[in-house]
Amino acid sequence: AAGVIQSPRHLIKEKRETATLKCYPIPRHDTVYWYQQGPGQDPQFLISFYEKMQSDKGSIPDRFSAQQFSDYHSELNMSSLELGDSALYFCASSSGLAEQFFGPGTRLTVL
Amino acid sequence: KNEVEQSPQNLTAQEGEFITINCSYSVGISALHWLQQHPGGGIVSLFMLSSGKKKHGRLIATINIQEKHSSLHITASHPRDSAVYICAVLLIATDKLIFGTGTRLQVFP
């Protein structure tokens, strides 16, 4: 069965650069969620989209923005990267409020 | 005090042992997830519960909404069960999952 796809799987950036993370949900899933997991920390909810509209927002910095496109894939744009942004970024998808299925994550390292 | 607390934080077991991981939460929820995270970081959803009990293979999850408590049981544990198990609750009327700090399980042959 198709799973959530994230790309890239690994990304290395310098401070003050920008990064774009992509998430492709499971087919027919209309809701996408983004989470950030810092080293040794619990995942933290960043933002979610339902039917291409932002549905909820968590602890997402103002330097980050995200959107969901007409094909339901989502992109997380991160600007003015800081060392503290180094983390594992997970995307999850669901059909409405049903069970969330997680992607493999993108490991971002900011040097 | 964390909104979602798990116990124990670390657990070691011999292959074949019965394992229980507990989760307590202090907020109103619409559902509770049990997740498994392997050393590479990938997260797998094991269960989503809003009441009662679910079973999948050697895994059983229960939830008591009145007591705000859930348990994950692993029967006949195996070294490949070694992972971090995370309880996460879906805040009522939101999309926010709040994660527990996880239980690191190591099963030795």
Side-chain angles (χ1 to χ4, degrees):
Chain A
V4 177
I5 296 171
Q6 289 189 246
S7 69
R9 294 291 307 279
H10 300 271
L11 188 58
I12 299 174
K13 291 285 185 178
E14 303 258 334
K15 279 196 317 184
R16 292 180 287 278
E17 286 191 321
T18 61
T20 297
L21 277 52
K22 297 185 179 183
C23 170
Y24 298 86
I26 290 172
R28 290 182 294 282
H29 279 191
D30 49 21
T31 308
V32 169
Y33 313 79
W34 285 99
Y35 299 92
Q36 177 193 55
Q37 185 178 26
Q41 298 184 1
D42 316 327
Q44 297 291 321
F45 170 77
L46 292 178
I47 196 167
S48 60
F49 293 88
Y50 168 69
E51 284 289 345
K52 292 153 278 184
M53 300 283 289
Q54 180 183 308
S55 59
D56 210 342
K57 195 170 178 180
S59 49
I60 184 168
D62 292 340
R63 299 178 289 107
F64 294 5
S65 65
Q67 57 182 320
Q68 186 180 32
F69 294 85
S70 57
D71 64 351
Y72 295 100
H73 94 273
S74 178
E75 294 184 5
L76 177 66
N77 298 293
M78 310 158 71
S79 62
S80 303
L81 287 169
E82 301 173 357
L83 296 178
D85 297 328
S86 295
L88 192 54
Y89 290 84
F90 288 102
C91 163
S93 76
S94 70
S95 178
L97 288 176
E99 184 173 359
Q100 294 183 31
F101 292 85
F102 286 79
T106 294
R107 188 169 295 280
L108 172 67
T109 302
V110 182
L111 302 176
Chain B
K1 190 177 191 300
N2 292 334
E3 292 165 307
V4 181
E5 294 201 331
Q6 287 183 235
S7 64
Q9 286 190 316
N10 294 284
L11 185 55
T12 57
Q14 289 294 126
E15 184 173 358
E17 285 185 4
F18 180 84
I19 287 160
T20 296
I21 299 170
N22 295 299
C23 174
S24 296
Y25 54 92
S26 57
V27 293
I29 71 168
S30 54
L32 181 145
H33 290 250
W34 279 103
L35 309 168
Q36 182 191 55
Q37 186 170 33
H38 280 276
I43 289 180
V44 174
S45 178
L46 299 174
F47 296 102
M48 185 176 86
L49 293 163
S50 52
S51 65
K53 178 178 174 178
K54 284 190 176 179
K55 185 176 190 293
H56 186 253
R58 295 180 294 106
L59 302 178
I60 302 166
T62 63
I63 187 168
N64 184 319
I65 297 293
Q66 286 73 33
E67 294 185 5
K68 297 192 171 185
H69 181 269
S70 175
S71 293
L72 175 70
H73 305 286
I74 305 175
T75 61
S77 59
H78 190 276
R80 65 174 176 265
D81 297 327
S82 299
V84 175
Y85 292 83
I86 302 171
C87 167
V89 300
L90 187 62
L91 276 187
I92 201 162
T94 75
D95 287 346
K96 290 192 180 76
L97 265 185
I98 299 178
F99 293 76
T101 50
T103 295
R104 185 174 299 277
L105 171 65
Q106 286 185 291
V107 182
F108 293 99

